Amino acid sequence: MRRLFGPVAVLVLALAVAAFAVGCGGGNDNNGSTGDNVSATQGKNLTFAVITHGEGDTFWAVAKKGAEQAGKDLGVKVNYSESQNDPQKQAQLIDAAVTQKVDGIAVSAPNPDAIADPLKKAEDAGIPVITLNSGQNDSAKLGAITHVGQDESIAGEAAGKRLADAGGKKLLCVIHEQNNIGLNQRCDGAKKGFGGTVENVQVKGVNDIQTSLTEIQSKLRSDSSIDSVLTLNPDIAVAARDAIKGANSKAKLATFDLSGDVVKAIKSGEIEFAVDQQQYEQGYLPVVFLTLYKTNNNTVGGGKPVLTGPGFVDKSNAGTVEKLAGEGTR
């Protein structure tokens, strides 16, 4: 069995095992139940749909691995799917999961309005929902029992402050997805923490890295006063690193999220730091929480989100996570 990463994951797995023991022993403690329509099961024969707005990029590959590993560890079936950042497609995937009568749905919500109706159908059908990664502020309105992720505004503010403390005066915040409220929250938070001039730039995205690189490079060439760059995705971070070199810029680069290449770039000094929201846990924990909910009527968070970040990876600790990032679990 693959190791579990992070103390929270270890704790919730222990709770899940305890829940299975209660179920098998015939216990019927309903403390923590949020509704009479939730039936306790034995923990097997459960199917959960994990539906994200991912595009098959490095970040979401890690979240997918976490969700699938949780399914293996807990003996439940996990159907993972991505919408390629298409809100309408994500809504259709949720509708399909409801039609299939899955036992629970975990979903990212970068565009909450687009998926509100299908999630209402899930609620009406008695299917529990957990939001993950994005949509924290809209999670309750979407009928979710909790949210798993990081507070994007707080994370952005912390990143901006670190870049300001490094001497930055003008920051370029690179947005790689349109209509993703979480990315805008990161840049808004960075502006608050940075204190200096902050400009956002929209690039093509992870499906066209070369164009994104060119767009960043052109911006740096046209404005030599930019001394700091913040990207919001590890693949875009690598493109920004190459863009900085191509533009002969001396801008300092930081990013959200990890990959093996990002960790190597941090160790070599090409990237100052990465904001680590631990997306492996964002895939893993919702499956655990849904299992606990279905088997033991447990909820988590107490009305608050379950935070997986932000943490920071820089030269001081990059070596610790390098091997795990290379394995695709950080």
Side-chain angles (χ1 to χ4, degrees):
M1 186 174 80
R2 183 183 295 275
R3 290 174 296 164
L4 300 182
F5 301 100
V8 176
V10 174
L11 173 61
V12 295
L13 181 56
L15 290 172
V17 172
F20 290 144
V22 170
C24 294
N28 191 29
D29 182 0
N30 287 325
N31 291 337
S33 173
T34 60
D36 295 335
N37 63 336
V38 180
S39 60
T41 70
Q42 295 304 311
K44 306 299 181 182
N45 301 318
L46 292 175
T47 298
F48 301 126
V50 179
I51 303 168
T52 76
H53 64 281
E55 297 184 83
D57 55 288
T58 301
F59 177 90
W60 285 110
V62 176
K64 178 183 179 182
K65 187 172 288 189
E68 292 179 341
Q69 187 61 45
K72 294 176 183 176
D73 290 342
L74 300 178
V76 300
K77 184 176 181 181
V78 173
N79 295 331
Y80 180 92
S81 58
E82 297 183 342
S83 70
Q84 306 296 310
N85 201 33
D86 182 338
Q88 285 69 43
K89 181 178 179 181
Q90 191 175 26
Q92 292 168 359
L93 290 169
I94 297 169
D95 276 333
V98 173
T99 300
Q100 293 162 8
K101 298 180 180 180
V102 298
D103 297 292
I105 296 174
V107 60
S108 61
N111 192 325
D113 291 342
I115 60 175
D117 287 344
L119 288 181
K120 181 61 167 62
K121 294 177 186 176
E123 182 179 7
D124 291 344
I127 299 173
V129 172
I130 289 178
T131 54
L132 64 98
N133 178 259
S134 52
Q136 174 185 321
N137 294 338
D138 295 276
S139 181
K141 289 191 297 184
L142 293 172
I145 59 177
T146 195
H147 176 81
V148 178
Q150 70 177 358
D151 188 303
E152 303 290 18
S153 297
I154 292 175
E157 184 175 351
K161 185 178 186 305
R162 285 179 70 119
L163 286 168
D165 290 345
K169 303 298 181 184
K170 186 168 185 178
L171 170 64
L172 184 68
C173 193
V174 184
I175 299 176
H176 61 281
E177 293 174 1
Q178 293 185 353
N179 302 317
N180 185 330
I181 59 173
L183 300 187
N184 288 303
Q185 288 169 348
R186 290 177 182 181
C187 287
D188 290 345
K191 183 175 182 178
K192 182 178 179 180
F194 190 69
T197 301
V198 178
E199 181 178 350
N200 296 351
V201 61
Q202 178 78 53
V203 298
K204 190 70 173 179
V206 298
N207 281 336
D208 192 343
I209 290 295
Q210 186 56 49
T211 297
S212 298
L213 188 160
T214 300
E215 290 168 337
I216 298 169
Q217 184 170 286
S218 296
K219 186 65 181 176
L220 293 171
R221 282 176 172 170
S222 67
D223 188 352
S224 60
S225 67
I226 296 172
D227 55 20
S228 306
V229 177
L230 178 63
T231 61
L232 311 178
N233 171 276
D235 297 335
I236 301 299
V238 174
R241 176 200 64 187
D242 296 341
I244 290 171
K245 292 178 181 177
N248 292 318
S249 170
K250 297 188 181 299
K252 293 181 178 180
L253 172 63
T255 189
F256 275 70
D257 304 325
L258 293 175
S259 69
D261 288 339
V262 165
V263 175
K264 290 177 183 177
I266 291 172
K267 290 185 68 177
S268 68
E270 296 173 312
I271 295 178
E272 296 295 308
F273 62 85
V275 181
D276 181 16
Q277 62 176 307
Q278 301 186 104
Q279 69 269 36
Y280 185 88
E281 289 190 336
Q282 291 178 12
Y284 195 103
L285 295 182
V287 176
V288 175
F289 296 160
L290 286 170
T291 303
L292 285 170
Y293 187 75
K294 293 295 293 186
T295 59
N296 206 46
N297 289 351
N298 288 130
T299 59
V300 295
K304 300 292 185 181
V306 177
L307 299 181
T308 63
F312 289 91
V313 176
D314 54 25
K315 272 190 173 182
S316 70
N317 60 355
T320 304
V321 300
E322 182 175 23
K323 182 176 183 292
L324 301 177
E327 293 176 351
T329 57
R330 286 295 297 271

